[in-house]
Amino acid sequence: MLALRSYGESPSVVGDDVLGGYLATRHLIDLGHRRIGLVAGPDHAPTALSRREGYRQALREAGIEDAPELVYPSSFSMESGEAAAEAFLATDDRPTAVFAVNDNTAFGFTSVIQRAGLGIPKDLSIVGYNDIPLVARLPVPLTTVRVPFRDIASATVDALLNSLQGRPALAAHRMLAPTLIPRASTARPSPGRTRRGEDPSSQEMTGPTGPGAPGPDGGTLRA
């Protein structure tokens, strides 16, 4: 019995990572982002590959081109998130939002972005994955996808007990749905966002002003 991973015909209980990647990307699309980067995770990890597929599904559904230059290679470490952020900073036409396939890479990515003087979410919205305890306590709490770890553990134990007692399993492979947890790291794209090397203070902003005019950032949600 496998938990959080599947392999061949072995019984398993896992989170639906394709759905999780879709939810993260769809959240950014619904906020108005159209140029969305991906901190992709390792090519050998089924979880990363599934989250990438969810990302691509959401883009296709919204009619957004899957741009290879916006896919930043990484492992699952904070250091690889930092390296991905350096690649992001070197991109001429930067994305307005990024989905990182785990929270560690999102944390590393965000730290470099903020040291470069960019604001989260003013200049960049970012979504992580897993909802580890740290991310809700960051100075800018991280929007992320929560994996139902307790439900996965409970279902795995039940399946093992059924097997030991000779009872049939409910299903050889069970897939449990993750949940999007919106926090302060995501907002609507800022109309003042700049290309690499441009000075935001030098740009003239146009559009409605005064009481009741829409602001550059959208509101945040609480799950």
Side-chain angles (χ1 to χ4, degrees):
M1 170 60 63
L2 301 175
L4 299 174
R5 298 288 186 275
S6 59
Y7 183 80
E9 297 302 315
S10 300
S12 61
V13 183
V14 298
D16 188 339
D17 288 309
V18 175
L19 175 60
Y22 172 90
L23 291 174
T25 310
R26 185 73 238 184
H27 170 65
L28 295 169
I29 293 169
D30 289 344
L31 286 171
H33 296 277
R34 291 296 179 270
R35 192 163 173 81
I36 302 170
L38 175 70
V39 182
D43 291 337
H44 62 80
T47 52
L49 295 174
S50 294
R51 293 166 196 175
R52 289 186 214 175
E53 177 56 29
Y55 161 84
R56 294 189 173 105
Q57 284 185 11
L59 294 182
R60 288 196 298 268
E61 181 182 271
I64 300 171
E65 183 180 356
D66 181 6
E69 70 272 16
L70 300 186
V71 177
Y72 304 104
S74 74
S75 66
F76 283 136
S77 69
M78 286 186 286
E79 292 79 7
S80 70
E82 292 173 343
E86 296 292 350
F88 163 87
L89 291 171
T91 303
D92 283 327
D93 190 7
R94 295 170 180 162
T96 62
V98 166
F99 165 44
V101 298
N102 81 338
D103 289 337
N104 284 336
T105 53
F107 179 76
F109 194 99
T110 299
S111 65
V112 170
I113 295 304
Q114 291 174 323
R115 287 200 300 270
L118 300 179
I120 305 291
K122 179 179 179 293
D123 298 305
L124 178 75
S125 288
I126 185 163
V127 180
Y129 204 105
N130 281 333
D131 195 30
I132 62 175
L134 170 67
V135 299
R137 296 168 174 82
L138 294 173
V140 180
L142 181 69
T143 296
T144 189
V145 176
R146 178 178 293 163
V147 177
F149 290 116
R150 290 186 180 182
D151 293 341
I152 290 171
S154 177
T156 302
V157 170
D158 288 345
L160 286 171
L161 290 175
N162 285 338
S163 177
L164 291 172
Q165 296 169 7
R167 297 197 298 264
L170 295 177
H173 303 284
R174 293 190 61 187
M175 191 171 289
L176 304 184
T179 306
L180 178 75
I181 308 297
R183 296 193 178 105
S185 69
T186 51
R188 293 188 179 279
S190 170
R193 188 188 68 86
T194 63
R195 292 166 64 92
R196 179 168 64 97
E198 293 179 344
D199 180 3
S201 63
S202 68
Q203 293 189 334
E204 180 181 355
M205 295 181 62
T206 61
T209 59
D217 296 336
T220 58
L221 302 174
R222 181 74 177 177

